[in-house]
Amino acid sequence: MVTWQNNMAEGEENLLVVIIDCNPVWWGRRQQQAAEPAQIVLSHCLDAIQVFVNSYLMLSHKNRVAVIASHTSKTHFLYPKNMADPRLDQRRGEDGRYEQFATVDDTVVEEIKQFMTSDTTSRELKTDTLLAGSLAVALCYVHRLEKEYQAGQQLNSRVLVIKAAEDSPSQYMNLMNVIFTAQKQNVVIDACILDKESGLLQQASDITGGIYLKIPQMSGLLQYLLWVFLPDLTMREVMALPPKVQVDYRAACFCHRTLIDIGYVCSVCLSIFCSFSPICSTCETAFKLAKPPMFKSKKKKRSLQNGGPSTSLL
Amino acid sequence: MSRSEDVLLMVSHVRHKKVEGTLFLMGERLAWSANSAGERLGVSHNYADIRSQKISPEGKAKIQLQLVLHTGDTCNFHFNNPEGNPEQLKDRDAVKELLQQLLPRFKSQVNKELEEKNRLLQEDPQLFQLYKDLVVSGVITAEEFWTNRAQTKQSNAPKGSQDIGVSASFLADIRPQSDGCNGIKYNLTADIIASIFKTYPAVKKTHAENVPHNLSEKEFWTRFFQSHYFHRDRINHGKDLFSDCAKNDEKDLHKIIQDKVKDSFLDLESLDETSLVKDEGYGNKSADTSTAPKHSVNQAIIRRFNYHSTMVLEACRNKRSSEEDILSLGLGGSGDNSNSSVWSQSLALGPPSKKARLRDAISYEDLGESTATSAPPLSLTGADRYLQGPSAIQQGEYTTSQDIHRATQQVKQEIGGYQADLPNVLPSSLAASVTAELSPGGVLMQAGMQQSLKELIPKDLQDELHSLYAALAELLRHFWQCFPVTTPALEEKVVRMRETLRRFQTTKMQPFQDKLRSQHLPTNLTDHLTEMINNAERKFSTWSKKRGGRP
């Protein structure tokens, strides 16, 4: 029988930050294909996430949660809100729901409506989700909360990214920085991928020790969330979860930006190339490859032995 | 031939293999030649070859000496002096004693190499396994095996031998055993004798003077223990052999007390202020303890303890003769070359060296300013190359601005009319199918199900594969080291290595593969090994083809 320590008694609290990819371009297109039963629309996804958050809050009094929406042009906290809303207090006791659930759910719904229907989204024409930005905001939130804790109390935090759109290569550097920061801060990044595999999030979950899962059936999102991402970090060791994927850590060559296994590295500036060139294009250092000495000595030997013009080597 | 052929001992009437002859002990070897001119029987053994000697036990009629060589052969010499047994005994004992002194000198040279090899083999079980696999089964010769290890051997050899220090309790370790009838037996080993000599050079002097002229070893030591020099209470009897030693010890003790401690950092007395502040009538001049009565027994014992400790420390400090130590202690930096005097000289220099020592003790170079020389600056063109990641593998779908607009409008509409419908978010059938996917055996859990090779293949086969790899790697290393082939020796080696590889394949790999097959295990475990061997074969064939044109 495997035993694990329940950390609840020791002043440890858990924080879950959910980052929802609300890329309108992607979701809008999905909606056009909504005829197929396996596809879901954004509202369905939001429903699933709300149930998931409620389940998470139900696990323990001390669990805390934050929800962030990630858009093509900005990032927004869906919960908790910036300012205390007096109307929420009025709603207490209106329906039979548990108050904390009511607070979270209603806040999320209101905020997402406001966020998605605001005007600014119509002017920009970008199609990439600002994932790096949202992760950075999440990490800042985690950092701020950790500061509010005294010595002896600990906050275990993790970030769950529900990703819809594809990776955007322009955010590569920022994302890597965020990932390493998370690793330093002991924040675990999990990834739940709806559509196409994302190499960057694979790396993120591998480096920080989180779970990466691409779900085959999008409409069953809630079940995946509850099964895989609901238990906290200490419980994960004793559960039979989907095994880790092989992460592609290959470097990209500087000339073509393709991933290579074997390449040439300049010893001065450490830039990577896929083919040999005598001058490194970043630091202008000239390189010489030594010629193999074997042929010269063999020729000499031959001419000595034969005493005449050396016969050519095959 | 410049061997030292000085004859150290010559013993006649020695029989070897039933033939009378004469035994000669030379500088570096032992030789025996037959007396009769007709038979040219001669035997010669270097001392280096002789592992040990044995003598026939006392009381036997035949007086014999046996030499055991390193190779295991034995050589018997029968001492047949016609004058009778005691003479024979004397002859043999003389030979034995001389050999005892000579053998250790030569022993160390040869044994060291063998011992080194044995030690290496014992310490590294993998090396031992490799050795067993390759040399014992005849795939490779022992010399080749060891030539490649020679580099590692030399680097591992201990750098110089260390002297064993003197244990401070060596005198106490000679525990006397009561003999039963009023006698006491002391057990003296060579180590204890060496310690006594190192610590008490006066005893060594006395020993050198008296033994073997006046007294035998046994008598010397008996006297030593009997003398009150050794006893707790040293009451001077005057007639003793060791009374000189006792007197010298007292003298040394006084000298040591008189000399201040050399190192001004360790001298506690110099901290005493009475040396600076003259007696100003406050009565702070300490009583002079040096004229304290010496007849107090306790004082004497304590003094002897201190002296003993001092002598032990002195013996350990300087490897050279400890007489110099005593001299240097007394003279204090008179310029002889022992370590202690150099040290004391530097201390006698005073303030400059003191400052240097203080500075060494308090400054760490890590904490100081780093004196890194500035390297030439790196000039990069296009540094933003480092900041980009790999390009997207699949080409992004191109979207027109119209598409974007349409999509965003749709989403806005949808979210605008969004009502949370939490109870109906997940139909049970869907939940069940997802659960099936995530359970062990489901679609998402397939990767963890494959049984790793580790569990599939039994441990002993794994170990055998491991040792096969190690052996093959060693052979291949020898093989590939021969290229490029420049000398005829390398050519021969290449040919030989190829034969060795072939032999390895038949003697080692085939049985392993058969074993795998008999146990119905996948034989592609050995694919990599065969691939490496094939590469080597191919290289050899191309090389021999190229070389084929030449004579």
Side-chain angles (χ1 to χ4, degrees), chain B residues 10-16 19-26 29-37 39-44 77:
Chain B
M10 192 173 88
V11 182
S12 49
H13 304 288
V14 176
R15 291 190 120 202
H16 174 69
V19 181
E20 274 277 344
T22 321
L23 186 67
F24 300 90
L25 275 86
M26 323 276 208
R29 65 194 181 105
L30 176 144
W32 177 89
S33 67
N35 270 350
S36 46
E39 308 195 26
R40 298 300 182 118
L41 195 60
V43 173
S44 158
F77 294 107

Side-chain angles (χ1 to χ4, degrees), chain B residues 11-178:
Chain B
V11 182
S12 49
H13 304 288
V14 176
R15 291 190 120 202
H16 174 69
K17 292 205 197 328
K18 302 265 197 305
V19 181
E20 274 277 344
T22 321
L23 186 67
F24 300 90
L25 275 86
M26 323 276 208
E28 277 185 21
R29 65 194 181 105
L30 176 144
W32 177 89
S33 67
N35 270 350
S36 46
E39 308 195 26
R40 298 300 182 118
L41 195 60
V43 173
S44 158
H45 294 293
N46 287 337
Y47 291 133
D49 293 335
I50 303 176
R51 203 195 317 161
S52 60
Q53 56 167 338
K54 293 195 206 160
I55 54 175
S56 54
E58 313 270 332
K60 271 222 165 156
K62 262 184 158 191
I63 312 292
Q64 286 189 323
L65 181 86
Q66 190 184 65
L67 293 175
V68 185
L69 305 178
H70 283 306
T71 52
D73 296 338
T74 59
C75 205
N76 268 333
F77 294 107
H78 179 198
F79 293 86
N80 206 6
N81 203 322
E83 289 163 31
N85 251 2
E87 292 298 311
Q88 293 169 3
L89 253 166
K90 226 173 44 161
D91 287 340
R92 189 205 55 196
D93 286 339
V95 174
K96 178 189 89 151
E97 299 225 355
L98 200 55
L99 272 181
Q100 245 178 0
Q101 291 166 17
L102 293 169
L103 277 183
R105 238 187 286 157
F106 294 88
K107 202 183 207 192
S108 47
Q109 290 162 8
V110 176
N111 260 353
K112 229 202 280 187
E113 282 191 37
L114 268 179
E115 271 180 33
E116 194 63 35
K117 287 186 190 170
N118 275 338
R119 192 178 60 89
L120 269 180
L121 284 181
Q122 267 163 15
E123 277 178 5
D124 189 358
Q126 285 180 347
L127 188 65
F128 188 47
Q129 181 70 23
L130 202 58
Y131 187 78
K132 260 201 302 199
D133 276 342
L134 294 178
V135 178
V136 175
S137 59
V139 180
I140 205 177
T141 59
E143 289 110 36
E144 282 193 9
F145 182 79
W146 287 113
T147 43
N148 275 47
R149 299 279 158 198
Q151 286 100 9
T152 50
K153 239 199 323 179
Q154 268 151 19
S155 55
N156 286 345
K159 313 262 189 281
S161 53
Q162 287 177 319
D163 269 350
I164 305 177
V166 177
S167 146
S169 63
F170 66 83
L171 279 180
D173 282 339
I174 322 169
R175 278 187 213 102
Q177 301 160 348
S178 87

Side-chain angles (χ1 to χ4, degrees), chain A residues 29 43 224 257 269 282 301, chain B residues 385-386 399 414 437 486:
Chain A
R29 282 183 150 178
S43 22
Y224 290 104
R257 289 281 143 207
C269 60
T282 12
K301 258 196 188 166
Chain B
R385 279 195 186 175
Y386 294 99
T399 46
E414 190 224 338
E437 279 178 13
T486 41

Side-chain angles (χ1 to χ4, degrees), chain A residues 278-299:
Chain A
I279 299 188
C280 167
S281 37
T282 12
C283 62
E284 317 285 328
T285 325
F287 290 102
K288 289 191 287 257
L289 269 187
K291 280 193 292 216
M294 195 180 105
F295 295 126
K296 264 209 285 194
S297 60
K298 265 208 164 166
K299 274 200 176 141

Side-chain angles (χ1 to χ4, degrees), chain B residues 214-262:
Chain B
N214 299 344
L215 309 158
S216 74
E217 289 265 355
K218 232 172 155 188
E219 273 199 42
F220 177 78
W221 289 114
T222 330
R223 290 264 201 106
F224 176 75
F225 286 118
Q226 279 173 351
S227 85
H228 282 281
Y229 179 68
F230 185 65
H231 270 212
R232 201 170 69 100
D233 306 327
R234 268 208 205 154
I235 308 165
N236 227 336
H237 272 219
K239 281 296 192 339
D240 219 344
L241 191 62
F242 292 97
S243 53
D244 285 339
C245 296
K247 276 200 222 127
N248 279 339
D249 281 350
E250 290 287 324
K251 252 198 303 182
D252 286 337
L253 198 57
H254 278 291
K255 228 186 288 178
I256 291 173
I257 297 177
Q258 291 291 337
D259 297 333
K260 307 289 181 208
V261 179
K262 284 286 154 272

